[in-house]
Amino acid sequence: MSKFSILKVGLCGLSLTLAASLAQAEDAPSSGHDHGPFRCDPGETYYMNVMVSGVEYWFPVYEMMKQAAQQMGCDTVYTGTPEYDVNKQLSSFEQILARDPAGILLHPMNPDPFIEPINRAAEMGIPVVTFAADSPNSDRVSFITSDNYQEGFYAADTIAEAMGGRGEYAVLENPGQDNHDRRIAAFIERMESNWPNMKLVARAASNQDPTRAYNAVLTMAQAHPNLGAVFMPEANSALGAAQAAKELDSGIKVFNADVNAKILDMIKAGEIFGAVNPNQGIQGYMGMMLLYLAAHPEQIDPMNDYLRSGYNPMGVPFVDNGFSIVTADNADDFYWDKYLQRRGTRGINE
């Protein structure tokens, strides 16, 4: 199994509906609720907000957010904070609110601290769509991500199959980040339910720190000489884990979530066994479309009680953007620089 992509029916249906609307809006007869094609007003601007803004994961998300916006004549801005600091991300979110944006595509570092700011944005008429990580108890209008449980399941299956269904494994964690916690929980659950001869022997919090991951894997391998694999829910820890595995020369299979150029190089070199990677482009493209519809509810007239109850008719609580299993066989398809060259853009710098 070298690659797996999954898209929920709801996402496919929404994509087709949006595409048809864009293509046919000019020619469609008036229905009494039809406000014309999907087009932004001059200067209508949507923002993307993240923490650790230099992380390569965000770039393809923004690239496709930008493409969707350009197709509708909207403007976009890439924002965030370079630090892994929830207070600094909250501050950057507040700065966006002060600019009266049309909408915000947000990756909240932690769920609860963003509840009040997101709710305040909703009260101001500014829709917020979360992606990759969620703030489920807030008034965000939608959440788009890959299915973190399915990612964990397929990562477990890939590793267990490669080990012949028998052996010892460990996990590195980043406790507190919702999507990371889900991946780890699903990975362990799948191993326990489908691979009874795979044994969890150690777990440690590396917190996305390569040095912590390096030391943790060395310690794990010393305590468990038959350790055969280590899974982690993000890319940074994989850098340290792979270095430790290489030095140990014990054949430990390192498997992580998310890719960047370093991870891809190490996968091709055999230093990392593989990775599960969300379809970032669909996160950005559909995230922008969901934001536009939430900002323009007059475009939608569903058969429900939205007029009576006064809520935004763009009620799409969850969209699954799919994912891929990346191995040495297909790693070349995931390099950001090659992707930008193919598209002829400057990525986050435009």
Side-chain angles (χ1 to χ4, degrees):
M1 177 173 56
S2 63
K3 184 174 181 180
F4 177 81
S5 295
I6 179 170
L7 290 175
K8 298 289 188 191
V9 172
L11 171 57
C12 295
L14 182 57
S15 298
L16 293 172
T17 300
L18 292 169
S21 297
L22 286 166
Q24 300 173 6
E26 295 284 0
D27 301 322
S30 175
S31 64
H33 196 81
D34 182 5
H35 288 257
F38 287 7
R39 298 295 298 173
C40 282
D41 297 327
E44 185 173 331
T45 305
Y46 295 81
Y47 286 73
M48 179 170 155
N49 183 258
V50 298
M51 82 288 187
V52 197
S53 54
V55 169
E56 190 175 302
Y57 178 92
W58 315 123
F59 301 168
V61 180
Y62 182 70
E63 181 68 17
M64 286 291 93
M65 178 191 182
K66 183 175 61 177
Q67 175 178 318
Q70 289 172 346
Q71 289 171 342
M72 297 185 293
C74 317
D75 296 326
T76 58
V77 179
Y78 180 78
T79 68
T81 175
E83 299 90 357
Y84 189 73
D85 185 318
V86 68
N87 290 321
K88 290 184 178 180
Q89 190 188 6
L90 286 165
S91 177
S92 69
F93 186 86
E94 295 287 352
Q95 292 169 12
I96 296 172
L97 291 184
R99 299 172 188 169
D100 192 26
I104 304 171
L105 185 62
L106 170 70
H107 177 95
M109 178 176 165
N110 300 117
D112 291 347
F114 274 93
I115 293 175
E116 190 279 330
I118 292 173
N119 290 354
R120 187 153 31 88
E123 292 172 1
M124 296 168 63
I126 301 169
V128 175
V129 170
T130 54
F131 75 97
D134 194 17
S135 181
N137 295 319
S138 72
D139 292 333
R140 51 88 168 137
V141 293
S142 189
F143 172 41
I144 180 167
T145 190
S146 48
D147 187 325
N148 298 138
Y149 288 107
Q150 288 294 323
E151 288 176 336
F153 289 170
Y154 275 83
D157 287 347
T158 301
I159 289 173
E161 289 171 3
M163 294 175 64
R166 182 179 299 275
E168 297 181 351
Y169 71 95
V171 296
L172 300 178
E173 305 178 71
N174 179 34
Q177 185 164 321
D178 180 65
N179 58 328
H180 292 180
D181 291 340
R182 289 171 184 262
R183 287 168 179 163
I184 291 295
F187 181 86
I188 295 172
E189 177 186 330
R190 183 69 167 188
M191 285 294 198
E192 291 177 347
S193 63
N194 278 46
W195 303 98
N197 294 318
M198 295 293 296
K199 182 181 179 182
L200 175 63
V201 295
R203 55 197 303 174
S206 56
N207 297 111
Q208 304 193 74
D209 185 328
T211 301
R212 286 190 182 185
Y214 171 82
N215 290 328
V217 171
L218 291 179
T219 300
M220 290 171 172
Q222 184 176 15
H224 305 281
N226 294 322
L227 181 66
V230 182
F231 174 66
M232 58 229 66
E234 36 74 36
N236 282 344
S237 294
L239 301 176
Q243 180 62 34
K246 183 178 180 180
E247 291 178 10
L248 290 166
D249 193 27
S250 59
I252 295 173
K253 299 182 186 302
V254 175
F255 199 96
N256 66 280
D258 305 340
V259 298
N260 54 43
K262 287 183 180 178
I263 296 294
L264 293 168
D265 288 345
M266 295 171 82
I267 289 174
K268 291 175 66 175
E271 296 170 5
I272 291 177
F273 180 67
V276 55
N277 194 61
N279 190 336
Q280 300 129 290
I282 293 297
Q283 278 184 2
Y285 194 93
M286 297 308 300
M288 177 62 216
M289 296 305 246
L290 292 166
L291 277 176
Y292 175 86
L293 290 173
H296 294 271
E298 72 279 358
Q299 296 278 13
I300 314 165
D301 188 18
M303 189 182 71
N304 59 33
D305 66 339
Y306 79 94
L307 290 173
R308 182 188 305 275
S309 56
Y311 70 87
N312 194 317
M314 203 293 291
V316 182
F318 175 71
V319 174
D320 185 337
N321 56 252
F323 62 87
S324 299
I325 297 294
V326 184
T327 68
D329 293 334
N330 62 350
D332 280 332
D333 299 331
F334 293 85
Y335 281 92
W336 169 242
D337 56 347
K338 295 179 182 179
Y339 175 63
L340 271 193
Q341 185 177 11
R342 186 183 87 207
R343 289 188 49 74
T345 76
R346 293 185 295 112
I348 64 171
N349 296 316
E350 64 177 30

